[in-house]
């Protein structure tokens, strides 16, 4: 309770004393805001996190401008030292696609037991074509552990809906939980509308906010045990009582070996995301030969190749 009160008082302080920047009478407010937004956000994040005493890397400004033009946002943090090593538009709002599921998984782990059984309330369908899904129907029974694996390994979108409805009663109510939890973690420049990240213009994140959320998620051993998997077989029971064994493969192409990390860097795990609007996205936890850990994020790569090549280039910076 005291932490929340402190956070509220700091937010008030930041709003009135940190964020305002003198505006020339001749300068339209919108123009002023656009030119000053990043500076204001930098001040806000730095003051808030310093004041709360959180163990988080403080982002003050972009530290690197060498990323490919076809990447919208990127961030590299030494998670052992809580130090930003490189950033590129890390406070810019971007569409998160399925990296959204990191927060869905975090809330699930904070509210459910892995052995808990979920009974699907209704057929879960999607209007978009090509949406990755288990194919869950009304009356199917599946464990929380199974849904989390489907969510994080194969990125099943209906698994996210099933978890949201089980925990909060509806996807809309779960989105409120997501936004509340994000703010508690200091992620204040994001907004969540869905539990799976399928495109919605009002559903957005910043690389820095996802860093804060991912940093909390990796505190859970169950999360790490899932995101490092190359494959998984989902076992559940259909409404008819028929057992199902559904094989799944990770969407993380570092784990599958399609792309290679720098020689001194080893994969622990992470989450991908892809939509036509969000491009190719990835947040991962890695470790070097000395045991130093890194959280790295790339958003809106124009292609999968650009995403992974940029991430590899980003991680090269860990030993320079």
């Amino acid at each position: 309770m005291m932490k929340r009160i402190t956070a509220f008082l700091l937010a008030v302080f930041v709003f009135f004393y940190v964020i305002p920047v003198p505006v020339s009478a001749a300068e339209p407010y919108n123009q002023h805001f656009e030119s000053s937004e990043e500076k204001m956000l930098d001040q806000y994040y730095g003051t808030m996190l310093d004041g709360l005493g959180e163990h988080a890397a403080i982002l003050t400004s972009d530290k690197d401008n060498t990323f490919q033009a076809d990447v919208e946002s990127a961030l590299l943090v030494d998670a052992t030292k809580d130090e930003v090593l490189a950033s590129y538009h890390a406070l810019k709002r971007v569409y998160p696609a399925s990296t959204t599921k990191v927060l869905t998984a975090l809330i699930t782990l904070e509210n459910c037991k892995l052995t808990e059984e979920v009974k699907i309330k209704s057929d879960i369908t999607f209007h978009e074509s090509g949406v990755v899904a288990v194919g869950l129907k009304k009356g199917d029974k599946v464990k929380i552990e199974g849904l989390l694996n489907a969510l994080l390994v194969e990125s099943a979108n209906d698994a996210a809906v099933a978890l949201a409805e089980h925990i909060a009663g509806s996807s809309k109510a779960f989105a409120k939980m997501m936004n509340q939890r994000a703010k508690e973690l200091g992620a204040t420049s994001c907004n969540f509308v869905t539990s799976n990240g399928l495109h919605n213009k009002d559903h957005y994140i910043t690389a820095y906010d996802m860093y804060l959320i991912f940093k909390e998620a990796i505190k859970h051993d169950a999360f790490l045990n899932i995101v490092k998997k190359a494959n998984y077989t989902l076992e559940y029971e259909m409404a008819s009582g028929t057992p199902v064994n559904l094989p799944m493969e990770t969407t993380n192409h570092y784990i599958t070996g399609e792309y290679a990390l720098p020689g001194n860097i080893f994969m622990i795990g992470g989450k991908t995301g892809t939509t036509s609007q969000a491009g190719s996205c990835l947040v991962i936890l890695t470790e070097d030969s000395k045991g130093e850990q890194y959280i790295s994020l790339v958003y809106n790569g124009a292609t999968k190749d650009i995403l992974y090549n940029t991430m590899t280039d980003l991680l090269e910076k860990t030993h320079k």
Side-chain angles (χ1 to χ4, degrees), residues 201-227:
K201 64 181 179 62
D202 295 321
H203 185 101
Y204 52 82
I205 189 89
T206 68
Y208 187 73
D209 279 354
M210 182 51 72
Y211 151 70
L212 295 172
I213 294 167
F214 188 73
K215 182 178 175 64
E216 187 69 18
I218 61 177
K219 293 179 182 178
H220 294 265
D221 289 340
F223 180 85
L224 288 176
N225 288 336
I226 294 172
V227 297

Side-chain angles (χ1 to χ4, degrees), residues 134-146:
V134 174
L136 295 171
K137 304 295 184 182
K138 181 178 180 180
D140 291 350
K141 296 177 182 178
V142 56
K143 298 286 180 63
I144 289 290
E145 183 176 13

Side-chain angles (χ1 to χ4, degrees), residues 61-91:
S61 61
D62 278 352
K63 291 193 171 188
D64 201 307
N65 290 301
T66 62
F67 297 101
Q68 297 184 48
D70 289 328
V71 167
E72 191 168 5
S73 178
L75 179 65
L76 172 64
V77 175
D78 184 324
T80 302
K81 298 177 180 177
D82 293 322
E83 178 184 353
V84 174
L85 300 181
S87 63
Y88 177 70
H89 296 168
L91 295 177

Side-chain angles (χ1 to χ4, degrees), residues 35-36 64-65 69 144 159 166 169 182 185-186 191 193 208-209 216 226 229 240 244 249 252-253 257 267 272 310:
S35 65
S36 306
D64 201 307
N65 290 301
I144 289 290
H166 176 73
L185 296 171
N191 188 64
V193 178
Y208 187 73
D209 279 354
E216 187 69 18
I226 294 172
K229 292 179 180 179
S240 63
V244 177
E249 185 177 82
N252 184 336
H253 292 291
M267 173 61 61
T272 62
T310 301

Side-chain angles (χ1 to χ4, degrees), residues 96-102 126 130-134 146-161 195-198 226 232 248-252 270-275 281:
S98 286
T99 63
T100 295
K101 292 165 183 164
V102 172
F126 303 97
V131 173
V132 176
V134 174
L147 288 172
L148 280 172
N149 275 273
L151 180 83
L152 296 172
V153 176
E154 192 174 63
S155 202
N157 290 286
D158 51 350
V161 174
S195 58
N196 50 35
L198 290 177
I226 294 172
Y232 176 76
M248 299 178 167
E249 185 177 82
T250 182
T251 57
N252 184 336
K271 185 71 194 77
T272 62
T274 307
T275 66
C281 312

